Amino acid sequence: MVTFTRRRLAAVALVATTALLGATACAGGDDEAAAGGPVTLTVDVFGQFGYDELYKEYMASHPDVKIVERGTGSNLDEYSPKLTQWLAAGKGAGDIVAIEEGLLVEYKANPQNFVNLLDHGAADLKGNFLDWKWNQGLTADGKQLIGLGTDVGGMAMCYRKDLFAKAGLPTDREAVSKLWPTWPDYIKVGEQFTAKKTGASFLDAATNTFNTILLQTAGNTTGYSYYDTGDKLVVDSNPAVRQAYDTTMDIIDSGLSGRYGSWSEEWVSAFKQSKFATIACPAWMTGVIEGNAGPGAKGKWDIAQVPGNGGNWGGSFLAVPKQGKHQAEAIELAKFLTSAKGQIGAFKAKGPLPSSPQALADPAIVDSTNAYFSTAPVGRIFAEGAKSLKPVYMGPKNQAVRTEVENAVRSVELGKRSPEQGWADAVGNAKKAAAK
Amino acid sequence: MAVQLDARPPVAPAPGTTRPSRGVRLSRFDTRYSPYLYIAPFFLLFGVFGIYPLAYTFWVSLHDWDLLGADHPFVGLDNYSELLADPDFWHSVVNTLGIFVISTVPQLLLALWLANLLNRRLRARTTWRMAVLIPNVTSTAAVAIVFAVLFGRDFGMINWLLDHVGVDAIDWKANRLASWVAISAMVDWRWTGYNALIFLAAMQAIPRDLYESAAIDGAGRARQFWSITVPLLKPTIIFAVIISTIGGLQLFTEPRLFNSGTNAIRGGPLRESQTVTMYMFENAFAPHYNFGYGSAIAWLLFALIAVVAAVNVLLLRRLGGGARKEDPR
């Protein structure tokens, strides 16, 4: 009797402890290969960074390093919440993480999450980057460097030669550039195009064009968009925002937009089915167009100058989170990937335009052409603009505010709001978002 | 070699020893407490994965909690009062309830009807029964993507079919009611068969002789269904309704994937099909990263589910009261 009871007690105790252990076991156990053996570095990216060849080269010269890339092809909307959660949780992020410029401002507000690259000899690299790109990577007090610049988003206008021909418009890129020195000219060309009823719209979606016009107008006038340089929300008082909005309303009003919400599945289908003739394209967009329109449309696309006067949209940075276990190795790799050589390699692979003046001046970039875009001299088109770019300052809640304004534009585009109602929405919701 | 490892040869008991009484005590301890230990694993797991997150979420909701921020000041119930006055939140509540009603009511009726069909004598009965479960086995993401394509404005099959019968193209994503219908279609496709099988299982437990005597009394199939099947199915129907309420009010994947492109989490430029969970995600994560506010939404959603489930059960009790009245007690 006694023994039986003991055995049962033992069984009970065993079950209970197993359950406890089971519940807590998942908590520990990630110190894989703490010392010795090759170091695995994880690089978190979104979209296409074009680093595959560079990894191979780096691993060949550093046999003790193994590189794994995560997130290739994922969009920024999926990537950034994940990254934020990793940073908030204190674990999970890659050894190197890519950060888009619009989001960098938010991460900069909490610099304690990242390694200060200035403590690791990054100051010597300043000359490798365009001044403004370097400065964007610094915190407000200039004491911490969060990220090293990768690409910049010099602008152009990509267009379909075949659709232009169908509408009786010139197809040569020089001639097309001359058609639209300004946005009102672009609208006029659009109206001519629309009148010919080719079955395609003139442009994909108003929001893409709105962003282009805003960043361009802001770059050429105030130097900031939704926030002034004192981080005060100026959506309703910055003339650049209102001007960009009004121009976009004219485009919508003229019926030029195909209303394919950017990055949606319909947008991707519209590329494949040749449903629009032009799209505002920052340098990184060329890779997106090629991916969406597919090999069937090779040679049908070309690149002309953007209406208005140059501008910058997008561009990213590489940062090293403090939670990483191999910070020293990660910093070395980040330096390599953002070096002039690394940036040239990425450009050749997937088209992101370098932020390094040395790379921008390199014949490998300047003389490069893009076969997909009718062998357009992409290097010259984008690189020239990039050197004279005027960057736009972005405030702390830039992403949230931009979301509100973009959605207001989209609601007008879809006929759900009048332009005036849309503007009221944009301003009201932007204020609400900024306060959250 | 069947050796009793833990049974030692009896040591000569010392006179007047306490040993037997210790055994008795152990055994008493055993009968009294070991059942608690046996069920402890569930409660431990429930505590770790159920209660703790719930309590922690409440704790977070009392703070101004920037997901990335270094400190999180205590703000009391500010998040809740702000939320109750937030038109976007109520907008998402209306969306959720709208989608819930449009999807759940036809879904359960259809499931009941399907179960009734499956309960008859059919050729290849098992095959049919398995077949209704197939939609439930497919991944939600795949279903949502396929439906999002079917309901496309320009290239979607539904609009193409509508065009053939002379109906103008519907912008399924930009029209609030249309988007509810499209999302409900997805939910129904996925869950009708599942509920049908639950109903079927309950139907099979109904004694055959009830139907036989009803048939002798001259009751037709429809009369049998409404007077025998439905009343006896009431507990199962209540179960299915509660499960559907919980699932329906937490709807996330379908509407999230139905809306693609930038800020899909908004459910369209004017939040046409944004559910409460999507609104929670929008606030707790991108683009606001306001964890405190998001947690407050989570708690209000919890309250909402409790209220709606209670209302549903009360309504059902009242509606299907027939069986109770016949109860002699």
Side-chain angles (χ1 to χ4, degrees), chain A residues 44-350:
Chain A
D44 284 330
V45 300
F46 51 89
Q48 303 288 350
F49 273 66
Y51 285 159
D52 289 353
E53 288 302 315
L54 295 165
Y55 294 147
K56 276 182 206 153
E57 191 185 327
Y58 192 81
M59 285 189 275
S61 61
H62 296 72
D64 50 338
V65 172
K66 192 172 161 264
I67 305 170
V68 180
E69 185 176 276
R70 294 189 299 194
T72 321
S74 75
N75 76 38
L76 197 54
D77 273 5
E78 296 162 20
Y79 172 79
S80 81
K82 260 194 279 178
L83 176 59
T84 308
Q85 287 164 41
W86 288 328
L87 293 175
K91 67 194 295 177
D95 295 282
I96 295 180
V97 297
I99 302 178
E100 202 264 344
E101 66 169 9
L103 293 164
L104 185 72
V105 278
E106 267 173 68
Y107 294 126
K108 269 203 297 198
N110 296 287
Q112 76 280 1
N113 290 315
F114 298 97
V115 168
N116 184 358
L117 298 170
L118 291 177
D119 295 342
H120 298 270
D124 304 340
L125 304 174
K126 192 169 186 291
N128 289 346
F129 299 91
L130 294 168
D131 276 345
W132 60 268
K133 187 79 180 176
W134 173 264
N135 291 334
Q136 274 187 332
L138 288 169
T139 50
D141 59 7
K143 284 184 183 146
Q144 181 170 345
L145 185 71
I146 305 266
L148 292 166
T150 57
D151 59 321
V152 294
M155 303 232 239
M157 182 64 78
C158 295
Y159 67 100
R160 288 283 300 241
K161 280 201 304 193
D162 54 336
L163 291 174
F164 267 50
K166 219 169 160 187
L169 293 167
T171 57
D172 174 67
R173 67 181 75 91
E174 300 292 331
V176 170
S177 300
K178 285 205 187 86
L179 287 177
W180 52 50
T182 66
W183 287 101
D185 295 325
Y186 174 80
I187 295 174
K188 263 181 229 146
V189 177
E191 282 167 343
Q192 287 171 31
F193 179 89
T194 313
K196 289 283 165 47
K197 302 225 182 306
T198 55
S201 303
F202 191 55
L203 60 112
D204 59 328
T207 43
N208 268 348
T209 316
F210 170 74
N211 281 325
T212 305
I213 302 172
L214 173 63
L215 291 165
Q216 203 176 52
T217 316
N220 290 330
T221 55
T222 49
Y224 52 80
S225 57
Y226 302 125
Y227 283 89
D228 66 13
T229 46
D231 285 341
K232 187 170 155 279
L233 188 70
V234 289
V235 177
D236 48 348
S237 59
N238 183 355
V241 179
R242 181 72 212 215
Q243 198 186 323
Y245 184 82
D246 288 343
T247 309
T248 310
M249 290 305 123
D250 290 343
I251 292 174
I252 293 172
D253 204 38
S254 310
L256 304 186
S257 167
R259 304 180 298 147
Y260 304 106
S262 31
W263 307 99
S264 71
E265 275 143 31
E266 285 172 346
W267 190 63
V268 175
S269 307
F271 271 105
K272 290 220 169 63
Q273 310 208 10
S274 314
K275 285 291 184 183
F276 58 84
T278 65
I279 177 170
C281 61
W284 46 264
M285 188 69 95
T286 56
V288 176
I289 294 172
E290 188 176 341
N292 285 343
K298 185 177 176 180
K300 291 180 180 164
W301 284 93
D302 208 330
I303 306 176
Q305 264 162 24
V306 69
N309 207 354
N312 179 58
W313 176 7
S316 297
F317 295 80
L318 294 185
V320 177
K322 242 185 200 154
Q323 58 184 261
K325 291 206 166 52
H326 312 291
Q327 291 174 11
E329 291 89 345
I331 292 163
E332 281 316 303
L333 177 60
K335 283 180 183 169
F336 169 76
L337 292 172
T338 54
S339 67
K341 185 170 174 260
Q343 296 194 17
I344 293 169
F347 175 83
K348 281 186 182 157
K350 296 285 175 191

